[in-house]
């Protein structure tokens, strides 16, 4: 498994490209504004076909460049949890210096669903709190968790948004922390860490676990 990361946009958001180098296929996880093109360039250079844009949730900084992905790789299917699809279909409540094209999902992900990327299988874990349709993507074979905005490098994401819920966030954290501690956490903001590192250093995780 090859994992490439790029960070950018107005919210310093992480986008990821994950590839099965043997099968020559890849998936983009989240599409921050002005950030995803270098990852797509790498896919083109390596001859990887991008088969999907798998979104962790629908907040603007994670979906802004969805059209960039599908324009360059028309076969890429945009997947999101049904509870967060409305965010793709209406303008962001925030005033932004760019316009995000509106669209519907090509398909939905749900808790426990298994998604294939070449030889690799990702399990969808529904982790509401920051957003009602927030999900994470877990590859047990590689001990990799694409984490979105649940746990973000020593902190957690905000729950003061209209459809956020702090108690849901706490429950989601407790669920995710049952995964192996050596699991790499590729979060939506900040540096890559492990679940053990978050357990040891993240006071919000520690409080949720009490």
């Amino acid at each position: 498994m090859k994992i490439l990361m790029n960070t950018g946009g107005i919210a310093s958001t992480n986008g990821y490209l994950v590839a099965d180098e043997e099968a020559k296929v890849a998936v983009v996880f989240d599409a921050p504004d002005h950030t995803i093109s270098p990852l797509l360039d790498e896919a083109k250079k390596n001859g990887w076909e991008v088969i999907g844009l798998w979104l962790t949730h629908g907040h603007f900084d994670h979906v802004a460049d969805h059209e960039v992905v599908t324009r360059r790789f028309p076969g890429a299917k945009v997947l999101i949890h049904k509870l967060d699809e409305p965010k793709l279909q209406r303008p962001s409540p925030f005033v932004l210096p760019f316009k995000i094209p509106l669209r519907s999902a090509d398909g939905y992900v749900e808790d426990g669903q298994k998604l294939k990327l070449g030889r690799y299988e990702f399990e969808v874990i529904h982790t509401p709190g920051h957003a009602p349709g927030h999900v994470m993507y877990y590859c047990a074979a590689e001990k990799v968790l694409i984490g979105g905005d649940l746990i973000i490098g020593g902190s957690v994401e905000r729950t003061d948004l209209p459809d956020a819920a702090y108690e849901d966030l706490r429950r989601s954290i407790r669920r995710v922390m049952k995964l192996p501690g050596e699991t790499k956490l590729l979060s939506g903001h900040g540096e890559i860490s492990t679940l053990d590192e978050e357990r040891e250093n993240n006071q919000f995780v520690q409080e949720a676990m009490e």
Side-chain angles (χ1 to χ4, degrees):
M1 178 182 285
K2 182 73 171 182
I3 300 173
L4 302 176
M5 168 183 164
N6 196 35
T7 305
I10 63 174
S12 296
T13 305
N14 298 330
Y16 298 95
L17 179 76
V18 180
D20 180 336
E21 296 174 279
E22 289 187 12
K24 296 288 188 180
V25 293
V27 163
V28 173
F29 291 87
D30 290 346
D33 61 284
H34 306 94
T35 298
I36 215 68
S37 286
L39 298 179
L40 301 179
D41 291 342
E42 285 297 311
K44 288 284 190 184
K45 184 176 75 175
N46 287 283
W48 302 334
E49 181 65 24
V50 175
I51 62 171
L53 169 57
W54 298 353
L55 298 169
T56 59
H57 61 298
H59 288 154
F60 77 89
D61 58 317
H62 292 259
V63 307
D65 272 5
H66 65 78
E67 192 175 67
V68 175
V69 177
T70 57
R71 184 172 64 247
R72 294 187 60 181
F73 290 90
K77 303 300 183 184
V78 178
L79 305 183
I80 196 170
H81 193 282
K82 193 168 189 175
L83 291 176
D84 258 37
E85 185 187 32
K87 296 182 179 67
L88 287 174
Q89 298 172 330
R90 63 173 179 253
S92 170
F94 301 100
V95 177
L96 301 173
F98 51 83
K99 185 175 181 179
I100 302 175
L102 307 183
R103 65 161 296 147
S104 297
D106 293 313
Y108 302 120
V109 294
E110 59 185 29
D111 190 56
Q113 183 176 355
K114 304 296 175 60
L115 300 173
K116 296 291 289 185
L117 172 59
R119 295 168 291 159
Y120 304 109
E121 182 177 83
F122 283 84
E123 178 183 355
V124 178
I125 306 175
H126 184 211
T127 49
H130 177 57
H134 189 286
V135 300
M136 304 170 88
Y137 298 91
Y138 175 54
C139 181
E142 297 294 309
K143 292 186 172 60
V144 167
L145 181 65
I146 312 291
D149 283 358
L150 181 67
I151 302 167
I152 50 171
S155 187
V156 295
E157 257 294 6
R158 59 193 294 184
T159 55
D160 59 343
L161 300 171
D163 59 359
Y166 181 64
E167 285 306 316
D168 286 346
L169 186 87
R170 287 168 57 90
R171 280 191 290 270
S172 293
I173 289 171
R174 289 194 292 271
R175 181 181 181 191
V176 165
M177 294 306 293
K178 293 178 182 177
L179 296 175
E182 64 270 27
T183 300
K184 289 182 181 178
L185 175 63
L186 281 59
S187 60
H189 304 271
E191 300 297 321
I192 294 173
S193 65
T194 68
L195 294 184
D196 272 344
E197 289 170 345
E198 297 299 330
R199 189 190 309 275
E200 183 174 338
N201 302 312
N202 189 327
Q203 70 178 51
F204 299 97
V205 169
Q206 294 166 357
E207 291 170 2
M209 299 295 290
E210 291 177 352

